Amino acid sequence: MREASFVRQNKEKWIVFEKALDNNVKISPDDLASYYIQLTNDLAYAQTYYPDSKTLLYLNSLASQAHQKIYITKKESKNKIISFWRDEFPLFFRQYHKTLLYTFLIFMSAVIIGAVSTLNDDSFVRLILGDGYVNMTLENIENGEPMAVYKSGSNIGSFLGITINNIRVAIIAFAFGIFFSIGTIYILFSNGIMLGAFITFFYNYGILEKTSTVWLHGTIEISVIVIAGCAGLVMGNSFLFPKTYSRRVAFMKGAKDGLKIVVSTIPFFIIAGFIEGFITRYGEQMPNLLAYGIIFLSLFIIVYYYIFYPIALNKSIQQNIPKLQLA
């Protein structure tokens, strides 16, 4: 059977099942089992005859979503919190990996623009970071403490202030997606240009290695801002590209999905705030091995949790689908 005919023949029941899952519609156990068996049969057929197709991606996503609803045990609230970060979110986030890639490319484009502009125009960094910050940093460089700004304030005060500010930036990056994704792109570009200008500013003064102190907390902080930007694009794109839904329903779904992505970032912002408040201030005295160990461990955790773990978990679910069907 040609793929177009296969989709036309089964599209209606897929949409009914998808909307039932998204809206938590109550379905009788018999009907639920019937829908799920049909879905896994269609998935197996698509895997055989339409590999690497959009139809297969769609059915994989729908089957994973159905598996979450049917097979993940919901116990007391403590277990729900654990299962959200361990099972529910990684399974859910796999469908937005392509959006995350686009978000990363937008951000890195801005970083490159900021870096190139600062290399070619000494006044650009003042325009982006402000005269106050640049003058203070130049004074710190003359005093032999370019990262002295991170030593100011109390540990707890810095931790709380930084964490709250980072979460605020993430919420803004998400919320601005309501402006047809353009608002989120603006936030990503602003932060990316600032980062590029900041790094190149230190490079121009021959102390680029000192920025390793910033990356102690910045690795998680910057990564999670990109992920929050992904959440904003998920919401904005849901209105621009509603697919099989009406724009209103698609936007509501996109906003809900985007908010779920933002919620997933909160523990990471707390970790970044803790590192900046309690560890970064000692970064210049820290052995290089320890400093770079923290940086690479932070990067590994982010990449593993948001990219590799969702892929592995989804593959595991898909491999078990035939067994579940026969049970």
Side-chain angles (χ1 to χ4, degrees):
M1 184 188 301
R2 300 177 68 177
E3 184 180 358
S5 301
F6 176 70
V7 172
R8 188 167 52 251
Q9 179 178 316
N10 297 287
K11 181 174 69 171
E12 196 170 317
K13 69 180 179 184
W14 297 339
I15 293 173
V16 169
F17 193 34
E18 182 179 14
K19 289 183 177 180
L21 292 172
D22 288 339
N23 299 320
N24 291 317
V25 174
K26 291 186 178 179
I27 307 174
S28 70
D30 288 343
D31 287 342
L32 185 61
S34 176
Y35 274 126
Y36 188 67
I37 289 171
Q38 290 179 52
L39 177 63
T40 55
N41 286 337
D42 291 341
L43 175 59
Y45 188 90
Q47 286 172 331
T48 302
Y49 295 102
Y50 317 118
D52 303 320
S53 67
K54 290 183 178 180
T55 302
L56 179 58
L57 290 175
Y58 170 77
L59 291 176
N60 272 332
S61 174
L62 187 56
S64 296
Q65 187 180 356
H67 183 272
Q68 291 178 56
K69 298 284 185 182
I70 298 170
Y71 287 97
I72 293 179
T73 305
K74 295 185 177 180
K75 299 181 180 177
E76 45 194 63
S77 58
K78 182 179 179 181
N79 289 338
K80 285 183 181 179
I81 294 173
I82 293 172
S83 79
F84 173 80
W85 271 281
R86 186 192 61 201
D87 302 307
E88 181 181 343
F89 178 78
L91 284 169
F92 151 83
F93 190 64
R94 175 66 179 93
Q95 64 187 301
Y96 291 119
H97 273 183
K98 186 176 288 187
T99 305
L100 179 62
L101 174 61
Y102 295 150
T103 309
F104 174 76
L105 292 176
I106 291 169
F107 183 79
M108 287 307 300
S109 298
V111 171
I112 293 170
I113 290 172
V116 172
S117 299
T118 304
L119 278 173
N120 291 283
D121 184 358
D122 291 337
S123 65
F124 183 78
V125 70
R126 292 184 175 274
L127 175 66
I128 299 301
L129 300 180
D131 288 329
Y133 180 84
V134 171
N135 291 336
M136 177 189 66
T137 303
L138 289 174
E139 184 178 337
N140 290 337
I141 291 172
E142 289 178 4
N143 295 332
E145 290 189 303
M147 297 299 166
V149 65
Y150 294 105
K151 299 178 182 179
S152 61
S154 66
N155 290 3
I156 295 177
S158 297
F159 163 59
L160 292 175
I162 291 162
T163 301
I164 291 170
N165 181 68
N166 288 341
I167 293 174
R168 181 185 66 83
V169 172
I171 291 174
I172 290 173
F174 163 62
F176 274 35
I178 198 171
F179 300 111
F180 314 110
S181 294
I182 296 174
T184 294
I185 293 173
Y186 169 77
I187 297 296
L188 290 168
F189 249 86
S190 298
N191 282 274
I193 288 174
M194 286 175 60
L195 179 61
F198 173 83
I199 293 172
T200 309
F201 172 57
F202 281 86
Y203 171 80
N204 287 340
Y205 282 87
I207 52 173
L208 182 62
E209 72 280 358
K210 297 293 184 181
T211 60
S212 62
T213 299
V214 179
W215 288 111
L216 287 170
H217 63 270
T219 301
I220 293 178
E221 189 176 291
I222 296 299
S223 298
V224 180
I225 286 174
V226 172
I227 292 163
C230 173
L233 293 185
V234 166
M235 178 169 67
N237 291 349
S238 68
F239 183 83
L240 294 173
F241 311 106
K243 298 181 181 178
T244 59
Y245 297 100
S246 67
R247 290 194 186 276
R248 182 181 67 83
V249 172
F251 177 75
M252 290 174 63
K253 182 179 183 299
K256 179 181 175 183
D257 287 356
L259 184 59
K260 187 180 288 189
I261 295 171
V262 172
V263 168
S264 80
T265 67
I266 292 176
F268 294 101
F269 275 128
I270 293 173
I271 293 171
F274 177 84
I275 293 174
E276 187 168 354
F278 289 89
I279 298 176
T280 298
R281 63 181 63 235
Y282 305 112
E284 290 183 275
Q285 292 81 43
M286 189 180 294
N288 286 337
L289 183 62
L290 178 58
Y292 285 107
I294 293 173
I295 292 169
F296 285 113
L297 178 61
S298 298
L299 182 61
F300 171 79
I301 290 172
I302 291 292
V303 172
Y304 176 77
Y305 183 72
Y306 282 97
I307 299 176
F308 293 116
Y309 181 56
I311 292 173
L313 195 58
N314 272 271
K315 282 185 177 179
S316 174
I317 295 297
Q318 292 163 21
Q319 288 170 359
N320 288 327
I321 281 175
K323 298 176 184 178
L324 295 170
Q325 181 184 335
L326 294 172

